[in-house]
Amino acid sequence: MITRILAIAAAEFRTVRRNRWVFTATLMMVLFALALTFAGSAPTGVLGVDLLTVSVASMTTLAVYLAPFLALMIAFDAIAGEVERGTLGLVLTYPLSRGEMLLGKFLAHLTALAIAITVGLGAAGLASALSGGASADSLFALTRLIATAILLGACFLALGYAASALSGSAAGAAGLAVGLWLVFVVLYDLGLLGAVVFDNGGSFTKSVFPWLLAANPADAFRLWNVAGSEQVALVSGMAGAGAGLPIWAAPLSLLLWPVLALLMARLAFARVEP
């Protein structure tokens, strides 16, 4: 089983590398992270924190938008594309289960995404540390940011597979992937913001709102990174966002989402005809 999964992962990673996806995604992460790092360096003197702390706060915002987008763009045709090209039936003639095929793709795509995230965020973190100094807390915050951004990418990779399996074509899967990104990353927060304004400090804001934040992987990612560092929370302005939550809520949500989404993708994949 492990051998078959690794064989699929190796073949899929060669395809991703040949298509220059790893290079393109890494370049995007590096450019955006560096731009945000040095464009947002002004608050360091005002807040009395090092540049790396400000950089981590800026890159948290970058990662919550870019990591899901990159993950969905690599995953949307993982199944629908195989069906359109007629290769799914050929692959399944081998002694290989659909679950093994899905895990192999997931491993390859997550490796490619992890390279892009680690190099992109790591390069910006190194540049800010060399330029404006770094404390032990900010270095740990950067490490946590990279690890949690990879976890966030894993969530949306699996959601992308589910979208790919449920769509009848790669074009339909691309549209559904964009819809997922909009809902989870943009519209969900807008809906919560409207509800909080309407509630005007009532029981929803105090009791329900924090748990709804943790239920969304994108917001759980933000909360985990903010809650882990007082300095990052100060710079980001989200110090009180998760005040009503236990410390384990956001990490548990972000750890469970990839597993649940992969199960959804596997169930959807089972209904796809080669």
Side-chain angles (χ1 to χ4, degrees), residues 113-130:
L113 189 63
I115 291 171
I117 290 172
T118 303
V119 174
L121 300 184
L126 178 62
S128 59
L130 293 175

Side-chain angles (χ1 to χ4, degrees), residues 23-95:
F23 172 77
T24 304
T26 303
L27 184 62
M28 286 178 63
M29 290 295 298
V30 170
L31 291 178
F32 278 109
L34 286 174
L36 276 179
T37 292
F38 293 107
S41 60
T44 54
V46 177
L47 297 175
V49 295
D50 56 67
L51 180 56
L52 182 56
T53 297
V54 177
S55 175
V56 168
S58 300
M59 289 190 293
T60 299
T61 302
L62 170 68
V64 83
Y65 286 99
L66 199 51
F69 177 79
L70 292 175
L72 289 168
M73 289 303 99
I74 195 176
F76 79 89
D77 72 336
I79 297 170
E82 297 271 10
V83 174
E84 284 195 344
R85 292 187 293 269
T87 55
L88 179 60
L90 177 62
V91 173
L92 292 178
T93 59
Y94 294 97

Side-chain angles (χ1 to χ4, degrees), residues 247-265:
I247 195 171
W248 49 263
L252 181 63
S253 174
L254 200 56
L255 289 168
L256 283 179
W257 261 104
V259 178
L260 296 175
L262 271 176
L263 288 175
M264 288 190 293

